[in-house]
Amino acid sequence: MFRIDLNCDMGESYGAYRLGADEEIIRWVTSVNIACGFHAGDPNVMRRTVRLAMEHGAAIGAHPGLPDLAGFGRRTMALKPDEVYALVVYQIGALEAFVRSEGGRLAHVKPHGALYNMAAVRRPLAEAVAEAVRRVNPELVLYGLSGSELIRAGEQAGLRTASEVFADRSYEPDGTLTPRDLPGAVLTEEGAVAGRVIRMVKEGKVPVRDGTERPIRADTLCIHGDTPHADIHARRIREALERAGISVKKLETP
Amino acid sequence: MFRIDLNCDMGESYGAYRLGADEEIIRWVTSVNIACGFHAGDPNVMRRTVRLAMEHGAAIGAHPGLPDLAGFGRRTMALKPDEVYALVVYQIGALEAFVRSEGGRLAHVKPHGALYNMAAVRRPLAEAVAEAVRRVNPELVLYGLSGSELIRAGEQAGLRTASEVFADRSYEPDGTLTPRDLPGAVLTEEGAVAGRVIRMVKEGKVPVRDGTERPIRADTLCIHGDTPHADIHARRIREALERAGISVKKLETP
Amino acid sequence: MFRIDLNCDMGESYGAYRLGADEEIIRWVTSVNIACGFHAGDPNVMRRTVRLAMEHGAAIGAHPGLPDLAGFGRRTMALKPDEVYALVVYQIGALEAFVRSEGGRLAHVKPHGALYNMAAVRRPLAEAVAEAVRRVNPELVLYGLSGSELIRAGEQAGLRTASEVFADRSYEPDGTLTPRDLPGAVLTEEGAVAGRVIRMVKEGKVPVRDGTERPIRADTLCIHGDTPHADIHARRIREALERAGISVKKLETP
Amino acid sequence: MFRIDLNCDMGESYGAYRLGADEEIIRWVTSVNIACGFHAGDPNVMRRTVRLAMEHGAAIGAHPGLPDLAGFGRRTMALKPDEVYALVVYQIGALEAFVRSEGGRLAHVKPHGALYNMAAVRRPLAEAVAEAVRRVNPELVLYGLSGSELIRAGEQAGLRTASEVFADRSYEPDGTLTPRDLPGAVLTEEGAVAGRVIRMVKEGKVPVRDGTERPIRADTLCIHGDTPHADIHARRIREALERAGISVKKLETP
């Protein structure tokens, strides 16, 4: 039986600023990663988004990012492992307090943006993230780029991990995502996107920008929430997966 | 038998900026309130300060403040109760994650600066703080100005509270502290300071700026850590209290 | 001959966050107030907005706000006059550097949100704002609420002032705006809005929430840019004014 | 005739946080670089520091840094040239407004920390800094690491430049400074420090970490203000230079 979790970054609004179609997308995904106030999100938005996720029964994850609101956490910063450790502990705790105070349970952690990418390739940073998760709560699932250092560090720390794949992003030969500012980094043709996911789940393979393909593990698929018509895309991908016989459900569901 | 807890704000450094003589003061106090990153403190400082407190066996509290690093959380801001609720939940969670990840237990919450003062006199804000504490963890003790709305809101929410007194601050007839920018707001004569505390603990009374006196409950005494020779003052107050037959210990100790 | 300037707050986007329909509204207004990075705006947005204003020949103003991005500068903060002075100098300078570096000329200063409201009623803060403007560049025009302390402080400092009126906001008997969270604070019926402006310009009178009316001076009208269909409203107001024989042009135009 | 300018970073306090012995060091240096609020400094500190510099007749420079207060602007961030351009324009403008409002004249610009280091080796960033300076005010002198891309970009932009040398920092074979976290990066032996400067000024040579030496141009020497006894070190270096017949004066002095 094939299955996959659909996750989406949420709670990225900030003060008067609105970002993302959270109320729409939540209908199609099974887990959400909620921004924790460093790269996006604020305490009011966090509370509101936790409630939204609980109403829809989605698994809730912390989505810690770099302390760079102006850059939306997408600009690499030269942080040391102990700095990364501390900011991940901090952000998990902040989000977990909202989940607990609403009567829910925090399920996972997925780093955001540049932190995600840094932890994918730099082992000391990956270990800092994994250690932060383990020490705050070893029951949390660590989401990371499939095949990355972060997944390996999580496993080594004894954490349960979820290997994440991207349907609309191009892959490099080393398994990393093609940087957003390179041509072809983001796929837009909808049929191709769905077909790519189905192949990743059923065959465990993904095409690479250089024309070859790589083996890939797909526990969870990243659904983007900040693009035009994101909810329609989310729905179509979910429907295509289900039509292909792939069960869409959150990780903890048997 | 007379007893009192001595608490001190700590972890108020930020990045390259150092503030407070935490390593010295920790020797004389029984509980610490650790800044949570909004008015002071950063994730690295929070971790370091939690460790310091645990090494010395001090009770650890979260010290949430207004989102105003430039003003050190001392400038009143017109926040709504739901904004106050959310920023207190957030900051408790962030600090608690460090305590838990180091193997400790969060014991209390004490709002900082303008938030402390706002919650002392404005009931809706006091209730927002108390509700935040209760929903994150109803075992936490709520520290507030003795006789304030915050103490009443905490009791009404079913929380255990600790009535805080100040030895070196002047009191107004309504039980609030004299604002720092008024003359006589801060007492500096050491003998007078110690005598005042002893009277508050043993007789339950405090002199007021207008020459009268007020009844006052004293569960915990605020020790300042950011003044010159703060550690010497802390030591002398502790010694004066003990000489007067007052037992200095943290709240949870029988 | 009747005339009025139409001004609009612009450049309120921040990083990945988009706010306002600047490119549309700029077609209908004669002056713009550009956020300076404290309550909204960032250096990239400031540069882009200065260019947009110059392309359309709008008069460019600095729009300094409180250091409260999360609250969009709308939450009153207890700042001292010297703090207000310094943050106004800072923000004018930052914006002026973009104007100068693009070959333009800064024309005016209009405080934002809570700073605007604080300076409207508290004379020491009004004087701090006026003094900041005067010392940075005494040629700048100071925009303030018509009839407010800020206008008086500007005149006393020897500055040229522009008395601002609001077409879609209710007035209190003392000439201040009805707070946004009170019912009836914001008018939405379009015909009433235009008629109100025409009367303010031609007759110098404005209706008050208690049913009376007040004399009012109207040099410039605030056009909101962050509401749905803001550009359509801006166009209709401009057209209604021109149909009524009121010349819409920026202040410096003869 | 040999001459050199002594410059020091100043105004690095922030809110309640004090950093640096500005009032002492100002007596021994001839130019100061004032933090502009991104990596350190706030509007109140900027005003106070500008006044201090003017009282002592020091040349005043803007000291723009990365938007990273928590990291004191020392953590490399992956910024694009247009982002660097905009944040330099912004910060120069903010500082210049204080200088102008106090009746002074801004003389130079020196990037701070990671921005300084990034602009020293990456030409597109160096050009962005130089272009920002040129467009805000082409009379400003651009301070940069001697022999760096920033100096070359400044010259190409038609700016007057000042080649900066460091007396207490080790050099790499390519002319960059040894990173602070490597052993031997910071020299502490006072006699060696003074001798090294004298040789740089008189012979135009500097020893390199690998044992070789490099030619170097020395227009200005960086005096550190945030180390213990910084003022004593500053005084001794100045006296050693003068004893060696090197005239210590600011650049614009004939």
Side-chain angles (χ1 to χ4, degrees):
Chain A
M1 284 304 300
F2 298 110
R3 65 181 286 172
I4 197 161
D5 169 60
L6 299 189
N7 80 78
C8 184
D9 300 347
M10 289 199 178
E12 295 181 330
S13 293
Y14 182 84
Y17 298 108
R18 292 286 167 269
L19 196 70
D22 293 4
E23 290 77 5
E24 299 300 320
I25 306 259
I26 189 69
R27 299 165 59 202
W28 310 110
V29 299
T30 47
S31 68
V32 300
N33 322 301
I34 300 180
C36 302
F38 275 44
H39 72 280
D42 67 36
N44 304 298
V45 170
M46 289 164 74
R47 186 190 192 194
R48 190 168 68 226
T49 311
V50 164
R51 288 181 164 195
L52 178 71
M54 288 179 64
E55 286 164 14
H56 287 81
I60 299 176
H63 194 44
L66 298 183
D68 179 22
L69 185 66
F72 202 63
R74 288 189 175 147
R75 305 188 290 203
T76 298
M77 293 177 71
L79 298 183
K80 293 175 185 162
D82 65 335
E83 292 173 318
V84 165
Y85 170 88
L87 65 80
V88 172
V89 168
Y90 184 102
Q91 293 180 70
I92 296 174
L95 199 270
E96 187 165 25
F98 285 102
V99 178
R100 205 193 317 155
S101 65
E102 299 296 332
R105 190 178 64 78
L106 188 67
H108 66 274
V109 175
K110 173 182 160 181
H112 168 84
L115 181 58
Y116 182 94
N117 294 330
M118 289 155 62
V121 296
R122 295 179 57 187
R123 186 56 176 260
L125 300 183
E127 289 175 354
V129 172
E131 183 68 1
V133 173
R134 188 186 69 76
R135 294 189 69 155
V136 173
N137 181 353
E139 302 298 316
L140 296 171
V141 179
L142 178 58
Y143 281 41
L145 181 67
S146 186
S148 69
E149 291 292 346
L150 183 55
I151 292 296
R152 282 190 284 278
E155 288 168 352
Q156 186 175 300
L159 295 172
R160 183 169 170 204
T161 62
S163 291
E164 183 176 45
V165 296
F166 292 78
D168 59 353
R169 291 292 297 277
S170 164
Y171 281 78
E172 297 291 294
D174 65 355
T176 59
L177 299 179
T178 302
R180 275 171 191 268
D181 52 359
L182 289 191
V186 180
L187 310 185
T188 53
E189 207 279 294
E190 205 163 74
V193 164
R196 172 177 282 231
V197 184
I198 292 166
R199 186 146 189 257
M200 286 194 279
V201 176
K202 289 193 164 175
E203 302 179 28
K205 289 181 181 163
V206 68
V208 170
R209 193 164 62 114
D210 66 2
T212 63
E213 63 181 20
R214 281 177 55 90
I216 195 164
R217 171 171 181 152
D219 296 323
T220 183
L221 173 69
C222 182
I223 300 291
H224 295 298
D226 55 355
T227 51
H229 309 299
D231 60 322
I232 296 172
H233 292 300
R235 175 184 172 179
R236 289 199 184 139
I237 283 187
R238 180 168 185 147
E239 289 173 348
L241 290 167
E242 291 175 337
R243 272 197 308 273
I246 298 169
S247 175
V248 174
K249 49 190 175 182
K250 53 187 172 182
L251 295 174
E252 65 203 37
T253 309
Chain B
M1 285 303 302
F2 298 110
R3 63 181 288 172
I4 197 161
D5 169 60
L6 300 188
N7 79 77
C8 185
D9 301 347
M10 289 198 175
E12 295 181 330
S13 293
Y14 182 84
Y17 297 109
R18 290 287 166 268
L19 196 71
D22 293 4
E23 289 78 6
E24 300 300 321
I25 306 257
I26 189 70
R27 299 165 58 201
W28 311 110
V29 299
T30 47
S31 68
V32 301
N33 322 301
I34 301 180
C36 302
F38 276 43
H39 72 280
D42 67 36
N44 303 299
V45 170
M46 289 164 74
R47 185 188 194 196
R48 188 167 71 226
T49 310
V50 164
R51 289 181 163 194
L52 178 71
M54 289 179 64
E55 286 163 15
H56 287 80
I60 299 176
H63 194 43
L66 297 184
D68 179 23
L69 185 66
F72 202 62
R74 287 187 175 150
R75 304 187 292 204
T76 298
M77 293 176 71
L79 298 183
K80 294 176 184 159
D82 65 336
E83 292 174 318
V84 165
Y85 170 87
L87 65 81
V88 172
V89 168
Y90 184 101
Q91 293 180 70
I92 296 173
L95 199 270
E96 188 165 25
F98 285 102
V99 178
R100 204 193 317 155
S101 65
E102 298 296 331
R105 189 178 64 78
L106 188 67
H108 66 274
V109 175
K110 172 183 160 181
H112 168 84
L115 180 59
Y116 182 93
N117 294 330
M118 289 155 61
V121 295
R122 295 179 55 190
R123 186 55 176 260
L125 301 183
E127 290 175 355
V129 172
E131 183 68 1
V133 173
R134 189 186 68 77
R135 294 189 70 155
V136 173
N137 181 354
E139 302 298 316
L140 296 171
V141 179
L142 178 58
Y143 281 42
L145 181 67
S146 186
S148 69
E149 291 291 348
L150 183 56
I151 292 296
R152 282 190 284 279
E155 288 168 353
Q156 184 174 303
L159 295 172
R160 183 171 170 202
T161 62
S163 291
E164 184 177 43
V165 296
F166 292 77
D168 58 352
R169 291 292 296 278
S170 165
Y171 280 79
E172 297 292 293
D174 65 355
T176 59
L177 299 178
T178 301
R180 276 171 190 268
D181 51 1
L182 290 191
V186 180
L187 311 184
T188 53
E189 206 280 295
E190 206 163 75
V193 165
R196 171 177 283 230
V197 185
I198 292 166
R199 185 143 189 258
M200 286 195 279
V201 176
K202 289 193 165 174
E203 304 178 29
K205 288 181 182 165
V206 69
V208 169
R209 194 165 61 114
D210 65 4
T212 63
E213 64 181 21
R214 281 177 54 88
I216 195 164
R217 171 171 181 151
D219 296 322
T220 184
L221 173 70
C222 182
I223 300 292
H224 294 298
D226 56 355
T227 50
H229 309 299
D231 59 321
I232 296 173
H233 292 300
R235 174 183 172 180
R236 289 198 184 139
I237 282 188
R238 179 168 186 147
E239 289 173 349
L241 290 168
E242 290 174 337
R243 272 196 309 273
I246 298 170
S247 177
V248 175
K249 48 189 174 184
K250 54 186 171 182
L251 296 174
E252 66 204 34
T253 309
Chain C
M1 286 305 300
F2 299 111
R3 64 182 287 171
I4 197 161
D5 169 60
L6 299 189
N7 79 78
C8 184
D9 300 348
M10 289 199 176
E12 295 182 329
S13 294
Y14 182 84
Y17 297 109
R18 290 286 167 268
L19 195 70
D22 293 4
E23 288 78 5
E24 299 301 320
I25 306 259
I26 189 69
R27 299 165 59 201
W28 310 109
V29 299
T30 47
S31 68
V32 300
N33 321 300
I34 301 179
C36 303
F38 275 43
H39 72 279
D42 68 35
N44 303 298
V45 170
M46 289 164 74
R47 185 190 194 195
R48 191 168 66 227
T49 311
V50 164
R51 288 181 164 194
L52 178 71
M54 289 179 63
E55 286 163 14
H56 287 81
I60 298 177
H63 194 44
L66 298 183
D68 179 22
L69 186 66
F72 202 62
R74 288 189 175 147
R75 305 188 291 203
T76 298
M77 293 177 71
L79 298 183
K80 293 174 185 162
D82 65 335
E83 293 173 318
V84 165
Y85 170 87
L87 66 79
V88 172
V89 168
Y90 184 101
Q91 294 180 69
I92 296 173
L95 199 271
E96 187 166 23
F98 285 101
V99 178
R100 205 193 317 156
S101 64
E102 298 297 331
R105 189 178 65 77
L106 187 66
H108 65 274
V109 175
K110 173 182 160 182
H112 168 84
L115 180 58
Y116 182 93
N117 294 330
M118 290 155 61
V121 296
R122 296 179 55 189
R123 186 56 176 258
L125 301 183
E127 289 175 355
V129 172
E131 182 69 1
V133 173
R134 188 187 69 78
R135 293 189 69 156
V136 173
N137 182 353
E139 302 297 317
L140 296 172
V141 179
L142 178 58
Y143 281 41
L145 182 66
S146 185
S148 69
E149 290 290 349
L150 183 56
I151 292 296
R152 282 189 285 279
E155 287 169 353
Q156 186 173 300
L159 295 172
R160 184 171 170 202
T161 63
S163 291
E164 183 177 43
V165 296
F166 292 78
D168 59 352
R169 292 292 296 278
S170 165
Y171 281 78
E172 297 292 293
D174 65 354
T176 60
L177 298 179
T178 302
R180 275 170 189 269
D181 51 2
L182 290 191
V186 180
L187 311 185
T188 53
E189 207 277 295
E190 206 162 76
V193 164
R196 171 177 283 231
V197 185
I198 293 166
R199 187 149 185 255
M200 287 195 277
V201 176
K202 289 193 166 176
E203 303 178 28
K205 289 182 180 164
V206 69
V208 169
R209 193 163 63 112
D210 65 4
T212 61
E213 63 181 20
R214 280 177 54 89
I216 195 164
R217 171 172 179 151
D219 296 323
T220 183
L221 173 70
C222 182
I223 299 291
H224 295 299
D226 56 355
T227 51
H229 309 299
D231 58 323
I232 296 172
H233 291 300
R235 174 185 172 178
R236 289 199 185 139
I237 283 188
R238 179 166 186 148
E239 289 173 347
L241 289 168
E242 291 176 334
R243 272 197 307 274
I246 298 168
S247 176
V248 174
K249 47 189 176 183
K250 53 186 172 182
L251 295 174
E252 64 204 35
T253 309
Chain D
M1 285 304 302
F2 298 111
R3 65 182 288 172
I4 197 161
D5 169 60
L6 300 189
N7 79 78
C8 185
D9 301 347
M10 289 200 175
E12 295 181 331
S13 294
Y14 182 86
Y17 297 109
R18 291 286 167 269
L19 196 70
D22 293 3
E23 288 78 6
E24 300 300 320
I25 306 258
I26 189 69
R27 300 165 58 202
W28 311 110
V29 299
T30 46
S31 67
V32 301
N33 322 300
I34 301 180
C36 303
F38 275 43
H39 72 279
D42 67 36
N44 304 298
V45 171
M46 289 163 74
R47 185 189 193 195
R48 189 167 69 227
T49 311
V50 164
R51 289 181 164 196
L52 178 71
M54 289 178 64
E55 286 163 14
H56 287 80
I60 299 177
H63 194 43
L66 297 184
D68 178 23
L69 186 66
F72 202 62
R74 287 189 175 148
R75 305 188 290 204
T76 299
M77 293 176 71
L79 298 183
K80 294 174 185 161
D82 64 336
E83 293 174 317
V84 165
Y85 170 88
L87 65 81
V88 172
V89 168
Y90 183 102
Q91 293 180 71
I92 296 173
L95 199 271
E96 187 166 24
F98 286 102
V99 179
R100 205 193 317 156
S101 64
E102 299 296 331
R105 190 178 65 77
L106 188 67
H108 65 275
V109 175
K110 173 183 160 181
H112 168 83
L115 180 60
Y116 182 93
N117 294 330
M118 289 155 61
V121 296
R122 296 179 55 189
R123 186 57 176 259
L125 301 183
E127 289 175 355
V129 172
E131 182 69 0
V133 174
R134 187 186 68 76
R135 293 189 70 156
V136 173
N137 181 352
E139 301 299 315
L140 296 171
V141 179
L142 178 59
Y143 281 42
L145 181 67
S146 185
S148 69
E149 290 291 346
L150 183 56
I151 292 295
R152 282 190 284 279
E155 288 168 352
Q156 185 174 302
L159 295 172
R160 183 171 169 201
T161 62
S163 291
E164 183 177 45
V165 297
F166 293 78
D168 59 353
R169 291 291 297 277
S170 165
Y171 281 78
E172 296 293 293
D174 65 355
T176 60
L177 298 178
T178 302
R180 274 171 190 269
D181 52 0
L182 289 191
V186 180
L187 310 185
T188 53
E189 208 277 295
E190 205 163 78
V193 164
R196 170 177 284 230
V197 185
I198 293 165
R199 186 147 188 258
M200 286 194 279
V201 176
K202 291 193 165 175
E203 303 179 28
K205 289 182 181 166
V206 68
V208 169
R209 193 163 63 111
D210 66 3
T212 62
E213 62 181 19
R214 281 176 54 88
I216 195 164
R217 170 171 180 151
D219 297 322
T220 184
L221 173 70
C222 182
I223 300 290
H224 294 298
D226 57 354
T227 51
H229 309 299
D231 58 323
I232 296 172
H233 291 300
R235 175 185 172 178
R236 289 197 184 138
I237 282 187
R238 179 167 184 147
E239 289 173 348
L241 289 167
E242 291 175 337
R243 272 197 308 273
I246 297 169
S247 176
V248 174
K249 48 189 174 183
K250 53 186 173 182
L251 296 174
E252 64 205 36
T253 309

